[in-house]
Amino acid sequence: MNIEIRNLSKSYKSRTKTTQALRDVNLTIKSGEIVCVLGHNGAGKTTLVKSICGLLRPDQGAVYLDGRAVHENLSFAHGRCSAVLEGSRNIYYYLTAYENLRYFGLLNGLGHREIDEKAAHYLRLFALEQFRDVPVNAFSRGMQQKTAIIIALMKDPEVLLLDEPTLGLDILSSDAVIEILHQLASDGGRSIIITTHDVHLIERLNARMVFMNQGQVVRDSRLPELKRDGADRRYQITLQLRPGGPELPADADLRERQGDMAVFETADCRWLEQVLASEQLIQIEKCSQSVAEIYKAVMSGHA
Amino acid sequence: MRNGVQLLKAECLKVFGDVKIYWLNYAFGNLNVFFMFLGLFYAFSKGSQDQLGKLTFLFGLMYWYFGVHAVDLMGLLMEEEIQQGTLEQLLMTRTPLSASLFFRIVAQTLFDLAKGVFVFAVCMWAFAINLSQILSLRFAASVAVFFIGLLAMYGFGYMIAGLSLVYKQASSIASVSSTLILFFSGTTIDIAAFPGIVQALVRLFPFYWSNALIEGILRLDGSGMARSGAVLLLELAAWTMGGIWTLHRCLRVVYDCGTAGNY
């Protein structure tokens, strides 16, 4: 399902102040695409996700699912979207895992056999099979999160919205989520939007990344492009330090120092131009940036 | 139809899940209702030989219990959903909130009905109401009117549920309905004893007309039955439409403010 976000703005008003959560956001997400939305706390990620699934009405602009405006077709949107917003809080504590799956399955119009088959499949996949009949209030946070994810998946949604899906998950479960997301996007043509701070998840998904800051989209690129762009700007230098020779650049990120030899990273191209002809420059190579470094660079406006 | 059965199954699953965990609360809550019924019944009908009067009173008490439940439970359910964080998930399902709420209250009523029948039977036995009274068409018609009246109270419940979404503590308003139905429905006190303004206000609620119609049916008193029936149906329509309209307006406020997940 194609998602079009056009000029989306949203503010929260209280008696004392107005907080602008989204400012003129424009995005197009194609069917089968996985998009990671990143940003600091309060950047507007959850507001964006809630606007897409129709849980929040924007002040201006609109979200379109296959050309239909979400807030004029709420039942259409709710029928096709699944969202895990606060995983561990999205389930009934006094019901067992299976009862939760059955309850939401019935409300989503699934038949008994379909519920049983899907529940068995996903409970096995997320290693919850033996906890099927345990009330979820006895679950760990990660297990509750898994139950919430299974509920979202059982609906077989065309748009899947996940707010911090791997929060509290062990590595194996996190990998299972990643595998399922890839499968849903590639085989099923589902559009998947994830807000996360999980570097491992972002790295493994290798998806499109939308960076948000103060309610605005500040960068929208695929992870490989961001890595390439970042690598073009950043270099690892091995330099022999001598009295009277060039000093380390102001942004030098020192990695190693032995005697008069220093290994560091820099993105200061003017400094590099000055030392390129110097005999003190032992080695220079392009850096590969980690997701965390890319995030910091984008959010500080250096990428 | 299939959808309705499926929704009812879902809500029964939830009600029984709740009972499984809080069974002791339920057990003592029910015991409390049982003693209250016996006490009220004894206080208001002791010494009376009027079999139909006792039966009418029993219907009034039942209506009081189920009517209060219909109103405050909807508000409490909404507050609970918001507190737990499950309201957002509920809104994201393929079932409209008003439908899932309706079937949840029906599931709860079915559960309550099981104990209601027991309490009804005990009261009949304890206060020597003739069994032949309930094996009649009049009794069946009274039960039907009882449920129509109850349905009208669900409309009131929808209104409280909607207000609970926006004002969070609106279910406390519902507790007022407990006193209203007990003392101003004609069950315990004839409303003719109240000032005109109070009488006019009481007539705005379906419980008065429901009780009046049940009394008319049981006593085979044709005078005013048609009027009571017509007003009851009118109020059923008005309260249901008003309640659902209020719920939808309040949901719109929730979507505007983004407070479905906040308490």
Side-chain angles (χ1 to χ4, degrees), chain A residues 8-268:
Chain A
L8 202 70
S9 293
K10 178 72 192 173
S11 58
Y12 296 109
K13 296 175 186 76
S14 71
R15 280 182 196 162
T16 50
K17 63 173 184 173
T18 299
T19 309
Q20 192 72 37
L22 293 178
R23 296 165 201 263
D24 202 27
V25 172
N26 286 284
L27 280 175
T28 301
I29 298 158
K30 290 193 185 118
S31 177
E33 198 169 15
I34 301 178
V35 176
C36 290
V37 182
L38 290 95
H40 301 324
N41 298 330
K45 305 183 295 290
T46 304
T47 302
L48 178 68
V49 164
K50 286 188 178 181
S51 301
I52 294 171
C53 63
L55 284 175
L56 199 56
R57 188 183 298 275
D59 299 337
Q60 280 176 357
V63 178
Y64 300 92
L65 299 180
D66 272 351
R68 296 171 77 164
V70 165
H71 283 90
E72 285 156 27
N73 301 280
L74 271 182
S75 56
F76 171 81
H78 291 167
R80 281 150 187 86
C81 297
S82 261
V84 178
L85 299 168
E86 291 175 86
S88 56
R89 282 189 76 221
N90 282 175
I91 45 181
Y92 292 103
Y93 282 147
Y94 50 84
L95 297 184
T96 66
Y98 176 72
E99 284 169 343
N100 266 291
L101 303 185
R102 192 170 172 78
Y103 177 71
F104 283 107
L106 287 168
L107 290 194
N108 280 320
L110 305 182
H112 294 283
R113 187 185 292 178
E114 202 179 355
I115 290 172
D116 283 345
E117 282 171 5
K118 285 185 173 182
H121 169 70
Y122 285 117
L123 286 170
R124 192 168 47 246
L125 198 67
F126 283 96
L128 283 179
E129 214 173 11
Q130 76 255 43
F131 305 103
R132 187 192 116 116
D133 297 317
V134 176
V136 294
N137 59 7
F139 279 11
S140 68
R141 189 192 162 91
M143 289 160 85
Q144 290 169 351
Q145 180 85 358
K146 287 190 217 173
T147 311
I149 293 173
I150 296 174
I151 289 168
L153 293 173
M154 275 182 61
K155 191 177 167 185
D156 211 4
E158 291 174 59
V159 176
L160 185 59
L161 302 145
L162 304 167
D163 198 2
E164 295 285 356
T166 50
L167 206 66
L169 293 196
D170 55 73
I171 292 169
L172 287 179
S173 302
S174 184
D175 281 351
V177 169
I178 291 164
E179 202 172 307
I180 289 166
L181 294 181
H182 274 306
Q183 204 178 329
L184 284 173
S186 58
D187 302 346
R190 268 84 176 168
S191 310
I192 300 166
I193 300 165
I194 303 160
T195 73
T196 185
H197 294 107
D198 182 348
V199 173
H200 171 71
L201 175 72
I202 297 166
E203 197 90 53
R204 289 283 312 275
L205 283 172
N206 201 25
R208 179 177 159 193
M209 291 164 81
V210 171
F211 292 86
M212 291 191 73
N213 197 9
Q214 295 184 334
Q216 287 178 306
V217 174
V218 291
R219 185 84 194 253
D220 179 359
S221 281
R222 297 194 63 79
L223 182 59
E225 289 163 24
L226 282 163
K227 281 191 165 179
R228 199 178 53 232
D229 290 357
D232 283 346
R233 292 197 184 98
R234 205 161 174 84
Y235 300 89
Q236 182 166 296
I237 312 286
T238 308
L239 191 74
Q240 191 172 26
L241 299 170
R242 282 188 204 153
E247 303 230 327
L248 292 184
D251 71 336
D253 185 3
L254 197 64
R255 296 292 156 104
E256 200 182 328
R257 182 153 186 179
Q258 280 187 338
D260 59 352
M261 295 286 278
V263 180
F264 59 93
E265 284 182 15
T266 180
D268 189 341

Side-chain angles (χ1 to χ4, degrees), chain B residues 148-169:
Chain B
I148 292 171
L150 204 59
L151 216 54
M153 287 305 285
Y154 289 167
F156 191 15
Y158 273 124
M159 206 173 276
I160 300 295
L163 293 172
S164 297
L165 287 174
V166 180
Y167 300 105
K168 315 298 182 197
Q169 296 173 56

Side-chain angles (χ1 to χ4, degrees), chain A residues 10-12 50 53-59 71 74-75 77-86 88-96 98-100 102-112 115 135 137 148 151-152 155-157 161, chain B residues 2-3 5-22 77 80-96 99-101 103-104 248 251-263:
Chain A
K10 178 72 192 173
S11 58
Y12 296 109
K50 286 188 178 181
C53 63
L55 284 175
L56 199 56
R57 188 183 298 275
D59 299 337
H71 283 90
L74 271 182
S75 56
H78 291 167
R80 281 150 187 86
C81 297
S82 261
V84 178
L85 299 168
E86 291 175 86
S88 56
R89 282 189 76 221
N90 282 175
I91 45 181
Y92 292 103
Y93 282 147
Y94 50 84
L95 297 184
T96 66
Y98 176 72
E99 284 169 343
N100 266 291
R102 192 170 172 78
Y103 177 71
F104 283 107
L106 287 168
L107 290 194
N108 280 320
L110 305 182
H112 294 283
I115 290 172
N137 59 7
I151 289 168
K155 191 177 167 185
D156 211 4
L161 302 145
Chain B
R2 184 176 167 265
N3 242 352
V5 173
Q6 209 160 337
L7 291 178
L8 188 59
K9 276 184 187 170
E11 297 304 340
C12 285
L13 182 84
K14 204 171 164 300
V15 169
F16 284 107
D18 198 28
V19 175
K20 257 192 312 187
I21 298 286
Y22 300 110
L77 286 174
E80 194 186 67
E81 295 288 347
I82 301 171
Q83 262 177 331
Q84 285 188 339
T86 42
L87 181 65
E88 287 181 328
Q89 279 309 308
L90 214 53
L91 290 172
M92 290 293 299
T93 64
R94 293 184 177 124
T95 303
S100 59
L101 204 54
F103 282 101
R104 190 171 303 178
H248 282 272
L251 257 180
R252 202 190 150 93
V253 174
V254 167
Y255 286 136
D256 281 341
C257 303
T259 49
N262 305 356
Y263 191 74

